[in-house]
Amino acid sequence: MREVTAFIHDNIEFVMPTVFKATMRDWAEDLIQDGTIYFTNIQRFIDDSDPQRRDQNEGRHVVVRNGVRCTAEYPMPVYVWCCSMDTRPCRTIETWSDKDCVIQVLDTIEFAKRITSAVGKQHPKLWPLHLGPVVYTKTAGGRERTDWADGIFQKDERYDGQKEFRFALTGATGDQSEEHIALTLGPCRDIVRIALIMNPEHMGSPDR
């Protein structure tokens, strides 16, 4: 992974954001204490039963070229760790109502460096980490592709309220597709914290 401190979106340069993710309390503690993290196969979101999250176009890149709508798919397995740039944890948990807490990654750059290091040691056959904000241009068709991974970071406009930021890993063409990829980053209590915990007796009511 090259050194990244900012990204370009709609021709505007943004500093790398802090990000938030809805998860289960046990998983959050595992990440904070020993750095256990799971990248999910994008097929999970194609098959998701929740209409807020299900995206049957996940992993497809859509562009309009000379007035023609063109679609490309990835021939290799794609794994993502999805989070949100929305700084309101209550909004994040609304999309993931089956989770019971929200974590905040305080230093996104350091988090990415630890993922990159872990991938190199634990899953060396995977391609290097890609990360960045999702663009919501799939409905109308996006710009010409400038990077082969662009389609992983493209979704339909109806999801734009999620303000999603992604970390993505890919295998090679022909690799066996796994449900998820597990990594151990080492203790992350210095860069990850629990931002919100849901009251287990009243799911939907945040207990700060």
Side-chain angles (χ1 to χ4, degrees), residues 87-107:
T87 57
R88 297 165 294 178
C90 288
R91 289 293 299 274
T92 300
I93 205 74
E94 287 175 3
T95 304
W96 299 90
S97 57
D98 54 343
K99 302 299 187 287
D100 61 9
C101 80
V102 176
I103 60 172
Q104 180 184 9
V105 177
L106 302 167
D107 188 336

Side-chain angles (χ1 to χ4, degrees), residues 24-44:
M24 299 303 294
R25 179 73 182 274
D26 290 347
W27 301 347
E29 295 289 356
D30 287 345
L31 174 57
I32 291 169
Q33 292 176 16
D34 59 29
T36 302
I37 182 174
Y38 297 92
F39 277 69
T40 303
N41 193 308
I42 57 171
Q43 187 64 42
R44 158 77 170 77

